Amino acid sequence: MNKCTCGSSMCINIGESIQDGIFRWYVSYHCNNCGKNIEMDGSGVESIPKDIQALIIEQKGRWGLKSLSSEIKIKYLLRKILENYGNLDLPKDILYCGTQNQVKWLKSKLIEKGVAEKDLQIKKLEYRTEVAN
Ligand SMILES: [Zn+2]
């Protein structure tokens, strides 16, 4: 999958967290053959490369955010918080999905914007969920 310039395959280590209210991600590649290291990191739920996000989801599951009250209100707020909200393939009843920390981060942002915590639910999704039409 990830080949080093020397031809060996590289070990990959990935992670994500929330620190002081900021979503952070990192990825590092290491080659056991020649010792080459590549590291990347960043902050912000939308700055994470899609392939890195997909790997984290593969390891730790796919998580979704559900609203128990007005979906319209939450969608409106999500469009204000996220630059690219709306281009996501979402399972039915799920307003956002991603890694566990991406969803947790969004939930706390929505609470900051005045949404009651009891109206928001984080749910672990099946890895392959049917996408709503
Ligand atoms: Zn190498």
Side-chain angles (χ1 to χ4, degrees):
M1 180 181 59
N2 287 290
K3 287 268 182 206
C4 180
T5 44
C6 74
S8 286
S9 55
M10 298 184 98
C11 301
I12 179 168
N13 189 17
I14 51 176
E16 36 116 54
S17 62
I18 299 171
Q19 288 165 22
D20 300 325
I22 297 166
F23 173 85
R24 296 185 184 280
W25 58 269
Y26 74 86
V27 56
S28 67
Y29 297 94
H30 178 73
C31 175
N32 286 325
N33 185 44
C34 72
K36 187 173 176 175
N37 276 311
I38 303 169
E39 283 181 36
M40 284 187 286
D41 60 31
S43 58
V45 293
E46 290 178 290
S47 75
I48 187 168
K50 287 287 166 230
D51 53 336
I52 303 303
Q53 182 184 12
L55 280 172
I56 296 172
I57 288 174
E58 215 172 274
Q59 290 180 0
K60 295 184 178 169
R62 187 173 185 232
W63 299 76
L65 183 73
K66 207 175 159 174
S67 167
L68 306 176
S69 69
S70 167
E71 282 198 6
I72 293 165
K73 182 183 171 190
I74 307 295
K75 282 183 177 170
Y76 169 79
L77 291 171
L78 287 172
R79 278 192 198 96
K80 294 190 115 178
I81 297 167
L82 300 168
E83 270 173 43
N84 293 312
Y85 185 70
N87 302 325
L88 307 158
D89 275 342
L90 295 167
K92 201 173 174 293
D93 297 330
I94 298 296
L95 302 178
Y96 178 85
C97 72
T99 70
Q100 188 176 19
N101 281 320
Q102 281 179 309
V103 177
K104 273 189 189 166
W105 183 85
L106 274 170
K107 184 184 172 186
S108 67
K109 278 279 156 191
L110 289 167
I111 293 166
E112 257 176 47
K113 295 209 178 279
V115 179
E117 186 166 8
K118 65 171 176 52
D119 290 341
L120 297 167
Q121 204 178 60
I122 293 179
K123 216 181 137 188
K124 190 168 187 184
L125 306 173
E126 294 300 317
Y127 186 60
R128 301 209 177 277
T129 335
E130 268 181 53
V131 171
N133 293 318

